[in-house]
Amino acid sequence: MNPEITKLLPTHWDQARRIYQQGLDTGQASFETTAPAWEQWDAGHLPLARLILMLDREPRGWAALSPVSNRTVYAGVAEVSVYVGTEWRGRGFGRVLLERLIAESVENGIWTLQASIFPENIASLALHRSLGFREVGRREKIARRDDVWRDTILLERRSAKY
Protein backbone atom coordinates (compact mmCIF):
# COMPACT_ATOMS: atom_id res chain seq x y z
CA MET A 1 0.00 0.00 0.00
CA ASN A 2 1.23 3.49 -0.86
CA PRO A 3 1.70 6.04 1.88
CA GLU A 4 -0.44 9.17 1.90
CA ILE A 5 0.91 12.54 2.96
CA THR A 6 -1.55 14.98 4.49
CA LYS A 7 -1.44 18.08 6.64
CA LEU A 8 -0.26 17.42 10.19
CA LEU A 9 -3.09 18.52 12.48
CA PRO A 10 -3.36 18.83 16.27
CA THR A 11 -5.37 15.60 16.24
CA HIS A 12 -2.29 13.78 14.90
CA TRP A 13 0.05 15.11 17.54
CA ASP A 14 -0.14 12.28 20.08
CA GLN A 15 1.06 9.79 17.49
CA ALA A 16 3.45 12.23 15.81
CA ARG A 17 4.88 13.07 19.22
CA ARG A 18 5.53 9.35 19.84
CA ILE A 19 7.44 9.20 16.52
CA TYR A 20 9.36 12.33 17.51
CA GLN A 21 10.25 10.81 20.88
CA GLN A 22 11.52 7.66 19.18
CA GLY A 23 13.89 9.83 17.16
CA LEU A 24 15.01 11.77 20.22
CA ASP A 25 15.64 8.55 22.11
CA THR A 26 18.29 7.54 19.57
CA GLY A 27 20.47 10.43 20.74
CA GLN A 28 21.26 11.15 17.07
CA ALA A 29 18.31 13.28 16.00
CA SER A 30 18.38 16.41 18.14
CA PHE A 31 19.77 18.10 21.20
CA GLU A 32 16.25 17.88 22.61
CA THR A 33 15.49 14.90 24.83
CA THR A 34 11.73 15.20 25.30
CA ALA A 35 9.10 15.76 22.63
CA PRO A 36 6.97 18.75 23.62
CA ALA A 37 3.25 19.18 24.02
CA TRP A 38 1.36 20.36 20.93
CA GLU A 39 1.19 24.00 22.03
CA GLN A 40 4.96 24.30 22.36
CA TRP A 41 5.64 22.42 19.12
CA ASP A 42 3.02 24.48 17.26
CA ALA A 43 4.51 27.77 18.46
CA GLY A 44 7.97 26.77 17.21
CA HIS A 45 7.01 25.70 13.69
CA LEU A 46 5.80 27.53 10.61
CA PRO A 47 2.11 27.08 9.83
CA LEU A 48 2.93 25.91 6.28
CA ALA A 49 4.31 22.57 5.11
CA ARG A 50 3.37 20.55 8.19
CA LEU A 51 3.22 17.03 6.85
CA ILE A 52 2.28 13.63 8.21
CA LEU A 53 2.86 10.39 6.36
CA MET A 54 0.01 7.91 6.83
CA LEU A 55 0.11 4.22 6.01
CA ASP A 56 -2.79 1.94 6.83
CA ARG A 57 -4.46 5.00 8.40
CA GLU A 58 -1.65 5.31 10.96
CA PRO A 59 1.04 8.02 11.16
CA ARG A 60 4.45 6.60 10.24
CA GLY A 61 6.43 9.84 9.98
CA TRP A 62 6.19 13.61 9.85
CA ALA A 63 8.05 16.65 8.57
CA ALA A 64 7.82 20.36 9.29
CA LEU A 65 9.64 23.68 9.04
CA SER A 66 10.87 25.97 11.79
CA PRO A 67 11.84 29.59 11.30
CA VAL A 68 15.57 30.24 11.67
CA SER A 69 14.90 33.79 12.83
CA ASN A 70 11.94 36.03 13.58
CA ARG A 71 13.57 38.87 11.62
CA THR A 72 11.60 39.74 8.49
CA VAL A 73 14.64 39.53 6.21
CA TYR A 74 14.93 35.80 7.01
CA ALA A 75 11.26 34.99 6.35
CA GLY A 76 12.28 32.75 3.44
CA VAL A 77 14.77 30.68 5.42
CA ALA A 78 13.58 27.65 7.38
CA GLU A 79 15.01 24.64 9.17
CA VAL A 80 13.72 21.19 8.27
CA SER A 81 12.64 18.43 10.64
CA VAL A 82 11.91 14.92 9.38
CA TYR A 83 11.07 12.01 11.67
CA VAL A 84 10.07 8.45 10.81
CA GLY A 85 8.86 5.86 13.32
CA THR A 86 11.46 3.32 14.43
CA GLU A 87 9.82 0.33 12.75
CA TRP A 88 9.34 2.22 9.47
CA ARG A 89 12.87 3.53 8.88
CA GLY A 90 14.81 2.40 5.85
CA ARG A 91 11.72 2.17 3.62
CA GLY A 92 12.09 5.51 1.84
CA PHE A 93 9.49 7.36 3.94
CA GLY A 94 12.02 10.00 5.01
CA ARG A 95 12.79 10.70 1.35
CA VAL A 96 9.10 10.98 0.45
CA LEU A 97 8.54 13.41 3.33
CA LEU A 98 11.60 15.53 2.58
CA GLU A 99 10.79 15.71 -1.15
CA ARG A 100 7.30 16.93 -0.34
CA LEU A 101 8.61 19.35 2.29
CA ILE A 102 10.98 20.84 -0.28
CA ALA A 103 8.18 21.22 -2.85
CA GLU A 104 5.81 22.85 -0.37
CA SER A 105 8.51 25.17 0.91
CA VAL A 106 9.12 26.50 -2.61
CA GLU A 107 5.37 26.92 -3.20
CA ASN A 108 5.21 29.00 -0.01
CA GLY A 109 8.10 31.39 -0.72
CA ILE A 110 10.89 29.67 1.20
CA TRP A 111 14.16 30.25 -0.66
CA THR A 112 16.58 28.46 1.64
CA LEU A 113 16.19 25.31 3.71
CA GLN A 114 18.73 24.33 6.29
CA ALA A 115 19.37 21.26 8.39
CA SER A 116 21.63 20.78 11.37
CA ILE A 117 22.59 17.12 11.65
CA PHE A 118 24.91 15.21 13.98
CA PRO A 119 27.91 13.89 11.97
CA GLU A 120 27.16 10.40 13.30
CA ASN A 121 23.71 10.44 11.66
CA ILE A 122 25.03 9.11 8.36
CA ALA A 123 21.60 8.16 6.95
CA SER A 124 20.15 11.64 7.48
CA LEU A 125 23.22 13.33 6.02
CA ALA A 126 23.04 11.06 2.94
CA LEU A 127 19.32 11.70 2.49
CA HIS A 128 19.69 15.48 2.63
CA ARG A 129 22.69 15.50 0.30
CA SER A 130 20.85 13.30 -2.21
CA LEU A 131 18.09 15.92 -2.38
CA GLY A 132 20.33 18.88 -3.09
CA PHE A 133 21.48 20.01 0.35
CA ARG A 134 25.13 21.06 0.48
CA GLU A 135 27.41 21.17 3.47
CA VAL A 136 28.01 24.70 4.72
CA GLY A 137 30.28 23.66 7.55
CA ARG A 138 30.82 21.88 10.81
CA ARG A 139 29.80 23.60 14.02
CA GLU A 140 32.13 22.22 16.65
CA LYS A 141 30.85 21.70 20.17
CA ILE A 142 27.78 23.80 19.34
CA ALA A 143 25.75 22.41 22.27
CA ARG A 144 25.60 19.57 24.75
CA ARG A 145 23.42 16.51 24.79
CA ASP A 146 23.50 14.38 27.94
CA ASP A 147 26.42 16.49 29.22
CA VAL A 148 28.52 15.71 26.14
CA TRP A 149 29.56 18.46 23.72
CA ARG A 150 28.40 17.59 20.20
CA ASP A 151 29.21 18.86 16.73
CA THR A 152 26.67 19.35 13.98
CA ILE A 153 26.97 19.53 10.22
CA LEU A 154 25.10 22.53 8.81
CA LEU A 155 23.52 21.83 5.42
CA GLU A 156 21.49 24.13 3.21
CA ARG A 157 19.44 23.90 0.06
CA ARG A 158 18.72 26.95 -2.05
CA SER A 159 15.56 26.93 -4.16
CA ALA A 160 16.20 27.28 -7.89
CA LYS A 161 13.05 29.43 -8.10
CA TYR A 162 14.51 32.37 -6.15
PDB file of all heavy atoms in Angstrom, residues 130-157:
ATOM      1  N   SER A 130      21.421  13.855  -0.975  1.00  0.00           N
ATOM      2  CA  SER A 130      20.848  13.296  -2.205  1.00  0.00           C
ATOM      3  C   SER A 130      19.724  14.164  -2.760  1.00  0.00           C
ATOM      4  O   SER A 130      19.379  14.039  -3.939  1.00  0.00           O
ATOM      5  CB  SER A 130      20.333  11.874  -1.953  1.00  0.00           C
ATOM      6  OG  SER A 130      19.116  11.886  -1.217  1.00  0.00           O
ATOM      7  N   LEU A 131      19.174  15.048  -1.933  1.00  0.00           N
ATOM      8  CA  LEU A 131      18.092  15.922  -2.376  1.00  0.00           C
ATOM      9  C   LEU A 131      18.538  17.378  -2.517  1.00  0.00           C
ATOM     10  O   LEU A 131      17.732  18.299  -2.450  1.00  0.00           O
ATOM     11  CB  LEU A 131      16.898  15.804  -1.421  1.00  0.00           C
ATOM     12  CG  LEU A 131      16.205  14.443  -1.469  1.00  0.00           C
ATOM     13  CD1 LEU A 131      15.110  14.348  -0.424  1.00  0.00           C
ATOM     14  CD2 LEU A 131      15.640  14.177  -2.860  1.00  0.00           C
ATOM     15  N   GLY A 132      19.830  17.567  -2.728  1.00  0.00           N
ATOM     16  CA  GLY A 132      20.333  18.880  -3.086  1.00  0.00           C
ATOM     17  C   GLY A 132      20.836  19.755  -1.962  1.00  0.00           C
ATOM     18  O   GLY A 132      21.188  20.920  -2.197  1.00  0.00           O
ATOM     19  N   PHE A 133      20.898  19.245  -0.747  1.00  0.00           N
ATOM     20  CA  PHE A 133      21.485  20.012   0.352  1.00  0.00           C
ATOM     21  C   PHE A 133      23.005  19.931   0.224  1.00  0.00           C
ATOM     22  O   PHE A 133      23.554  18.891  -0.119  1.00  0.00           O
ATOM     23  CB  PHE A 133      21.060  19.450   1.705  1.00  0.00           C
ATOM     24  CG  PHE A 133      19.647  19.783   2.101  1.00  0.00           C
ATOM     25  CD1 PHE A 133      18.572  19.121   1.536  1.00  0.00           C
ATOM     26  CD2 PHE A 133      19.398  20.756   3.069  1.00  0.00           C
ATOM     27  CE1 PHE A 133      17.273  19.416   1.912  1.00  0.00           C
ATOM     28  CE2 PHE A 133      18.099  21.056   3.445  1.00  0.00           C
ATOM     29  CZ  PHE A 133      17.031  20.393   2.862  1.00  0.00           C
ATOM     30  N   ARG A 134      23.662  21.038   0.511  1.00  0.00           N
ATOM     31  CA  ARG A 134      25.126  21.060   0.480  1.00  0.00           C
ATOM     32  C   ARG A 134      25.642  21.404   1.871  1.00  0.00           C
ATOM     33  O   ARG A 134      24.983  22.108   2.635  1.00  0.00           O
ATOM     34  CB  ARG A 134      25.648  22.059  -0.547  1.00  0.00           C
ATOM     35  CG  ARG A 134      25.391  23.499  -0.170  1.00  0.00           C
ATOM     36  CD  ARG A 134      26.017  24.471  -1.175  1.00  0.00           C
ATOM     37  NE  ARG A 134      25.810  25.826  -0.740  1.00  0.00           N
ATOM     38  CZ  ARG A 134      26.623  26.494   0.086  1.00  0.00           C
ATOM     39  NH1 ARG A 134      27.715  25.928   0.546  1.00  0.00           N
ATOM     40  NH2 ARG A 134      26.353  27.741   0.429  1.00  0.00           N
ATOM     41  N   GLU A 135      26.818  20.907   2.164  1.00  0.00           N
ATOM     42  CA  GLU A 135      27.414  21.174   3.472  1.00  0.00           C
ATOM     43  C   GLU A 135      27.956  22.592   3.509  1.00  0.00           C
ATOM     44  O   GLU A 135      28.733  22.993   2.642  1.00  0.00           O
ATOM     45  CB  GLU A 135      28.532  20.177   3.757  1.00  0.00           C
ATOM     46  CG  GLU A 135      29.119  20.329   5.134  1.00  0.00           C
ATOM     47  CD  GLU A 135      30.091  19.238   5.501  1.00  0.00           C
ATOM     48  OE1 GLU A 135      29.894  18.082   5.074  1.00  0.00           O
ATOM     49  OE2 GLU A 135      31.056  19.548   6.231  1.00  0.00           O
ATOM     50  N   VAL A 136      27.518  23.343   4.505  1.00  0.00           N
ATOM     51  CA  VAL A 136      28.005  24.698   4.723  1.00  0.00           C
ATOM     52  C   VAL A 136      29.216  24.654   5.652  1.00  0.00           C
ATOM     53  O   VAL A 136      30.177  25.383   5.474  1.00  0.00           O
ATOM     54  CB  VAL A 136      26.896  25.599   5.311  1.00  0.00           C
ATOM     55  CG1 VAL A 136      27.422  26.977   5.654  1.00  0.00           C
ATOM     56  CG2 VAL A 136      25.722  25.683   4.355  1.00  0.00           C
ATOM     57  N   GLY A 137      29.159  23.787   6.637  1.00  0.00           N
ATOM     58  CA  GLY A 137      30.278  23.665   7.553  1.00  0.00           C
ATOM     59  C   GLY A 137      29.946  22.815   8.751  1.00  0.00           C
ATOM     60  O   GLY A 137      28.822  22.350   8.930  1.00  0.00           O
ATOM     61  N   ARG A 138      30.949  22.650   9.577  1.00  0.00           N
ATOM     62  CA  ARG A 138      30.816  21.882  10.813  1.00  0.00           C
ATOM     63  C   ARG A 138      30.840  22.859  11.979  1.00  0.00           C
ATOM     64  O   ARG A 138      31.750  23.675  12.080  1.00  0.00           O
ATOM     65  CB  ARG A 138      31.958  20.884  10.932  1.00  0.00           C
ATOM     66  CG  ARG A 138      31.852  19.981  12.130  1.00  0.00           C
ATOM     67  CD  ARG A 138      33.090  19.071  12.216  1.00  0.00           C
ATOM     68  NE  ARG A 138      32.849  17.980  13.114  1.00  0.00           N
ATOM     69  CZ  ARG A 138      32.689  16.717  12.746  1.00  0.00           C
ATOM     70  NH1 ARG A 138      32.764  16.384  11.479  1.00  0.00           N
ATOM     71  NH2 ARG A 138      32.467  15.777  13.653  1.00  0.00           N
ATOM     72  N   ARG A 139      29.842  22.767  12.815  1.00  0.00           N
ATOM     73  CA  ARG A 139      29.796  23.605  14.017  1.00  0.00           C
ATOM     74  C   ARG A 139      30.279  22.751  15.179  1.00  0.00           C
ATOM     75  O   ARG A 139      29.584  21.834  15.619  1.00  0.00           O
ATOM     76  CB  ARG A 139      28.394  24.151  14.225  1.00  0.00           C
ATOM     77  CG  ARG A 139      27.975  25.026  13.037  1.00  0.00           C
ATOM     78  CD  ARG A 139      26.671  25.702  13.198  1.00  0.00           C
ATOM     79  NE  ARG A 139      25.585  24.750  13.392  1.00  0.00           N
ATOM     80  CZ  ARG A 139      24.333  25.102  13.644  1.00  0.00           C
ATOM     81  NH1 ARG A 139      23.995  26.370  13.732  1.00  0.00           N
ATOM     82  NH2 ARG A 139      23.404  24.189  13.796  1.00  0.00           N
ATOM     83  N   GLU A 140      31.497  23.034  15.619  1.00  0.00           N
ATOM     84  CA  GLU A 140      32.130  22.217  16.645  1.00  0.00           C
ATOM     85  C   GLU A 140      31.625  22.581  18.031  1.00  0.00           C
ATOM     86  O   GLU A 140      31.505  23.759  18.373  1.00  0.00           O
ATOM     87  CB  GLU A 140      33.648  22.387  16.583  1.00  0.00           C
ATOM     88  CG  GLU A 140      34.240  21.861  15.281  1.00  0.00           C
ATOM     89  CD  GLU A 140      35.746  22.020  15.216  1.00  0.00           C
ATOM     90  OE1 GLU A 140      36.355  22.496  16.198  1.00  0.00           O
ATOM     91  OE2 GLU A 140      36.301  21.665  14.170  1.00  0.00           O
ATOM     92  N   LYS A 141      31.306  21.540  18.782  1.00  0.00           N
ATOM     93  CA  LYS A 141      30.854  21.703  20.174  1.00  0.00           C
ATOM     94  C   LYS A 141      29.808  22.820  20.278  1.00  0.00           C
ATOM     95  O   LYS A 141      29.903  23.696  21.111  1.00  0.00           O
ATOM     96  CB  LYS A 141      32.032  21.961  21.092  1.00  0.00           C
ATOM     97  CG  LYS A 141      32.995  20.800  21.152  1.00  0.00           C
ATOM     98  CD  LYS A 141      34.123  21.076  22.128  1.00  0.00           C
ATOM     99  CE  LYS A 141      35.071  19.884  22.176  1.00  0.00           C
ATOM    100  NZ  LYS A 141      36.185  20.134  23.096  1.00  0.00           N
ATOM    101  N   ILE A 142      28.802  22.747  19.424  1.00  0.00           N
ATOM    102  CA  ILE A 142      27.780  23.796  19.342  1.00  0.00           C
ATOM    103  C   ILE A 142      26.844  23.753  20.551  1.00  0.00           C
ATOM    104  O   ILE A 142      26.318  24.773  20.973  1.00  0.00           O
ATOM    105  CB  ILE A 142      27.009  23.715  18.004  1.00  0.00           C
ATOM    106  CG1 ILE A 142      26.124  24.933  17.785  1.00  0.00           C
ATOM    107  CG2 ILE A 142      26.202  22.446  17.894  1.00  0.00           C
ATOM    108  CD1 ILE A 142      26.856  26.179  17.426  1.00  0.00           C
ATOM    109  N   ALA A 143      26.620  22.563  21.097  1.00  0.00           N
ATOM    110  CA  ALA A 143      25.753  22.414  22.274  1.00  0.00           C
ATOM    111  C   ALA A 143      26.023  21.046  22.898  1.00  0.00           C
ATOM    112  O   ALA A 143      26.754  20.227  22.337  1.00  0.00           O
ATOM    113  CB  ALA A 143      24.285  22.552  21.884  1.00  0.00           C
ATOM    114  N   ARG A 144      25.409  20.846  24.063  1.00  0.00           N
ATOM    115  CA  ARG A 144      25.605  19.575  24.753  1.00  0.00           C
ATOM    116  C   ARG A 144      24.319  18.753  24.760  1.00  0.00           C
ATOM    117  O   ARG A 144      23.228  19.294  24.882  1.00  0.00           O
ATOM    118  CB  ARG A 144      26.056  19.805  26.200  1.00  0.00           C
ATOM    119  CG  ARG A 144      27.424  20.445  26.254  1.00  0.00           C
ATOM    120  CD  ARG A 144      28.034  20.499  27.605  1.00  0.00           C
ATOM    121  NE  ARG A 144      27.130  20.991  28.630  1.00  0.00           N
ATOM    122  CZ  ARG A 144      27.457  21.122  29.895  1.00  0.00           C
ATOM    123  NH1 ARG A 144      28.664  20.804  30.304  1.00  0.00           N
ATOM    124  NH2 ARG A 144      26.594  21.577  30.774  1.00  0.00           N
ATOM    125  N   ARG A 145      24.514  17.480  24.651  1.00  0.00           N
ATOM    126  CA  ARG A 145      23.421  16.513  24.791  1.00  0.00           C
ATOM    127  C   ARG A 145      23.903  15.494  25.807  1.00  0.00           C
ATOM    128  O   ARG A 145      24.975  14.909  25.644  1.00  0.00           O
ATOM    129  CB  ARG A 145      23.116  15.849  23.445  1.00  0.00           C
ATOM    130  CG  ARG A 145      22.345  14.554  23.509  1.00  0.00           C
ATOM    131  CD  ARG A 145      20.886  14.720  23.248  1.00  0.00           C
ATOM    132  NE  ARG A 145      20.190  13.509  23.632  1.00  0.00           N
ATOM    133  CZ  ARG A 145      19.166  13.015  23.006  1.00  0.00           C
ATOM    134  NH1 ARG A 145      18.684  13.624  21.964  1.00  0.00           N
ATOM    135  NH2 ARG A 145      18.586  11.932  23.438  1.00  0.00           N
ATOM    136  N   ASP A 146      23.130  15.307  26.864  1.00  0.00           N
ATOM    137  CA  ASP A 146      23.498  14.376  27.941  1.00  0.00           C
ATOM    138  C   ASP A 146      24.892  14.696  28.479  1.00  0.00           C
ATOM    139  O   ASP A 146      25.720  13.804  28.680  1.00  0.00           O
ATOM    140  CB  ASP A 146      23.411  12.925  27.453  1.00  0.00           C
ATOM    141  CG  ASP A 146      22.028  12.561  26.966  1.00  0.00           C
ATOM    142  OD1 ASP A 146      21.044  13.028  27.575  1.00  0.00           O
ATOM    143  OD2 ASP A 146      21.920  11.819  25.972  1.00  0.00           O
ATOM    144  N   ASP A 147      25.156  15.978  28.669  1.00  0.00           N
ATOM    145  CA  ASP A 147      26.418  16.486  29.222  1.00  0.00           C
ATOM    146  C   ASP A 147      27.638  16.216  28.350  1.00  0.00           C
ATOM    147  O   ASP A 147      28.767  16.268  28.812  1.00  0.00           O
ATOM    148  CB  ASP A 147      26.659  15.949  30.636  1.00  0.00           C
ATOM    149  CG  ASP A 147      25.653  16.490  31.630  1.00  0.00           C
ATOM    150  OD1 ASP A 147      25.270  17.675  31.500  1.00  0.00           O
ATOM    151  OD2 ASP A 147      25.239  15.741  32.533  1.00  0.00           O
ATOM    152  N   VAL A 148      27.417  15.927  27.079  1.00  0.00           N
ATOM    153  CA  VAL A 148      28.515  15.708  26.138  1.00  0.00           C
ATOM    154  C   VAL A 148      28.419  16.755  25.043  1.00  0.00           C
ATOM    155  O   VAL A 148      27.362  16.921  24.420  1.00  0.00           O
ATOM    156  CB  VAL A 148      28.437  14.292  25.511  1.00  0.00           C
ATOM    157  CG1 VAL A 148      29.513  14.104  24.454  1.00  0.00           C
ATOM    158  CG2 VAL A 148      28.532  13.224  26.583  1.00  0.00           C
ATOM    159  N   TRP A 149      29.528  17.484  24.808  1.00  0.00           N
ATOM    160  CA  TRP A 149      29.556  18.455  23.716  1.00  0.00           C
ATOM    161  C   TRP A 149      29.456  17.718  22.392  1.00  0.00           C
ATOM    162  O   TRP A 149      30.139  16.712  22.179  1.00  0.00           O
ATOM    163  CB  TRP A 149      30.847  19.274  23.760  1.00  0.00           C
ATOM    164  CG  TRP A 149      30.860  20.274  24.866  1.00  0.00           C
ATOM    165  CD1 TRP A 149      31.517  20.183  26.054  1.00  0.00           C
ATOM    166  CD2 TRP A 149      30.158  21.523  24.880  1.00  0.00           C
ATOM    167  NE1 TRP A 149      31.273  21.300  26.814  1.00  0.00           N
ATOM    168  CE2 TRP A 149      30.443  22.149  26.120  1.00  0.00           C
ATOM    169  CE3 TRP A 149      29.327  22.178  23.983  1.00  0.00           C
ATOM    170  CZ2 TRP A 149      29.920  23.378  26.467  1.00  0.00           C
ATOM    171  CZ3 TRP A 149      28.807  23.407  24.334  1.00  0.00           C
ATOM    172  CH2 TRP A 149      29.114  23.995  25.562  1.00  0.00           C
ATOM    173  N   ARG A 150      28.615  18.233  21.494  1.00  0.00           N
ATOM    174  CA  ARG A 150      28.400  17.587  20.199  1.00  0.00           C
ATOM    175  C   ARG A 150      28.603  18.588  19.072  1.00  0.00           C
ATOM    176  O   ARG A 150      28.284  19.771  19.203  1.00  0.00           O
ATOM    177  CB  ARG A 150      26.961  17.038  20.095  1.00  0.00           C
ATOM    178  CG  ARG A 150      26.543  16.022  21.145  1.00  0.00           C
ATOM    179  CD  ARG A 150      27.113  14.634  20.912  1.00  0.00           C
ATOM    180  NE  ARG A 150      26.776  14.044  19.637  1.00  0.00           N
ATOM    181  CZ  ARG A 150      25.712  13.274  19.405  1.00  0.00           C
ATOM    182  NH1 ARG A 150      24.855  13.007  20.373  1.00  0.00           N
ATOM    183  NH2 ARG A 150      25.500  12.762  18.208  1.00  0.00           N
ATOM    184  N   ASP A 151      29.098  18.085  17.958  1.00  0.00           N
ATOM    185  CA  ASP A 151      29.207  18.860  16.727  1.00  0.00           C
ATOM    186  C   ASP A 151      27.938  18.647  15.903  1.00  0.00           C
ATOM    187  O   ASP A 151      27.240  17.638  16.082  1.00  0.00           O
ATOM    188  CB  ASP A 151      30.384  18.367  15.874  1.00  0.00           C
ATOM    189  CG  ASP A 151      31.741  18.557  16.524  1.00  0.00           C
ATOM    190  OD1 ASP A 151      31.824  19.166  17.610  1.00  0.00           O
ATOM    191  OD2 ASP A 151      32.718  18.072  15.931  1.00  0.00           O
ATOM    192  N   THR A 152      27.695  19.566  14.991  1.00  0.00           N
ATOM    193  CA  THR A 152      26.669  19.350  13.977  1.00  0.00           C
ATOM    194  C   THR A 152      27.222  19.763  12.621  1.00  0.00           C
ATOM    195  O   THR A 152      28.129  20.599  12.532  1.00  0.00           O
ATOM    196  CB  THR A 152      25.369  20.155  14.241  1.00  0.00           C
ATOM    197  OG1 THR A 152      25.654  21.547  14.280  1.00  0.00           O
ATOM    198  CG2 THR A 152      24.688  19.704  15.520  1.00  0.00           C
ATOM    199  N   ILE A 153      26.660  19.154  11.593  1.00  0.00           N
ATOM    200  CA  ILE A 153      26.968  19.530  10.221  1.00  0.00           C
ATOM    201  C   ILE A 153      25.810  20.413   9.757  1.00  0.00           C
ATOM    202  O   ILE A 153      24.650  20.009   9.836  1.00  0.00           O
ATOM    203  CB  ILE A 153      27.091  18.300   9.300  1.00  0.00           C
ATOM    204  CG1 ILE A 153      28.128  17.303   9.838  1.00  0.00           C
ATOM    205  CG2 ILE A 153      27.400  18.728   7.866  1.00  0.00           C
ATOM    206  CD1 ILE A 153      29.542  17.844   9.914  1.00  0.00           C
ATOM    207  N   LEU A 154      26.124  21.616   9.304  1.00  0.00           N
ATOM    208  CA  LEU A 154      25.105  22.528   8.808  1.00  0.00           C
ATOM    209  C   LEU A 154      25.003  22.351   7.297  1.00  0.00           C
ATOM    210  O   LEU A 154      25.995  22.495   6.578  1.00  0.00           O
ATOM    211  CB  LEU A 154      25.442  23.975   9.155  1.00  0.00           C
ATOM    212  CG  LEU A 154      24.446  25.030   8.689  1.00  0.00           C
ATOM    213  CD1 LEU A 154      23.073  24.807   9.328  1.00  0.00           C
ATOM    214  CD2 LEU A 154      24.959  26.424   9.015  1.00  0.00           C
ATOM    215  N   LEU A 155      23.802  22.012   6.843  1.00  0.00           N
ATOM    216  CA  LEU A 155      23.521  21.828   5.422  1.00  0.00           C
ATOM    217  C   LEU A 155      22.491  22.857   4.992  1.00  0.00           C
ATOM    218  O   LEU A 155      21.656  23.282   5.805  1.00  0.00           O
ATOM    219  CB  LEU A 155      22.950  20.431   5.165  1.00  0.00           C
ATOM    220  CG  LEU A 155      23.800  19.248   5.595  1.00  0.00           C
ATOM    221  CD1 LEU A 155      22.960  17.989   5.651  1.00  0.00           C
ATOM    222  CD2 LEU A 155      24.955  19.061   4.642  1.00  0.00           C
ATOM    223  N   GLU A 156      22.518  23.239   3.726  1.00  0.00           N
ATOM    224  CA  GLU A 156      21.488  24.127   3.209  1.00  0.00           C
ATOM    225  C   GLU A 156      21.148  23.748   1.777  1.00  0.00           C
ATOM    226  O   GLU A 156      21.942  23.138   1.060  1.00  0.00           O
ATOM    227  CB  GLU A 156      21.882  25.599   3.305  1.00  0.00           C
ATOM    228  CG  GLU A 156      22.935  26.051   2.343  1.00  0.00           C
ATOM    229  CD  GLU A 156      23.194  27.546   2.410  1.00  0.00           C
ATOM    230  OE1 GLU A 156      22.837  28.207   3.391  1.00  0.00           O
ATOM    231  OE2 GLU A 156      23.784  28.057   1.441  1.00  0.00           O
ATOM    232  N   ARG A 157      19.937  24.130   1.416  1.00  0.00           N
ATOM    233  CA  ARG A 157      19.436  23.905   0.059  1.00  0.00           C
ATOM    234  C   ARG A 157      18.764  25.167  -0.414  1.00  0.00           C
ATOM    235  O   ARG A 157      17.813  25.630   0.192  1.00  0.00           O
ATOM    236  CB  ARG A 157      18.448  22.753   0.035  1.00  0.00           C
ATOM    237  CG  ARG A 157      17.976  22.403  -1.354  1.00  0.00           C
ATOM    238  CD  ARG A 157      16.908  21.309  -1.296  1.00  0.00           C
ATOM    239  NE  ARG A 157      16.631  20.785  -2.612  1.00  0.00           N
ATOM    240  CZ  ARG A 157      15.893  21.391  -3.536  1.00  0.00           C
ATOM    241  NH1 ARG A 157      15.362  22.588  -3.288  1.00  0.00           N
ATOM    242  NH2 ARG A 157      15.688  20.841  -4.712  1.00  0.00           N
TER     243      ARG A 157
END
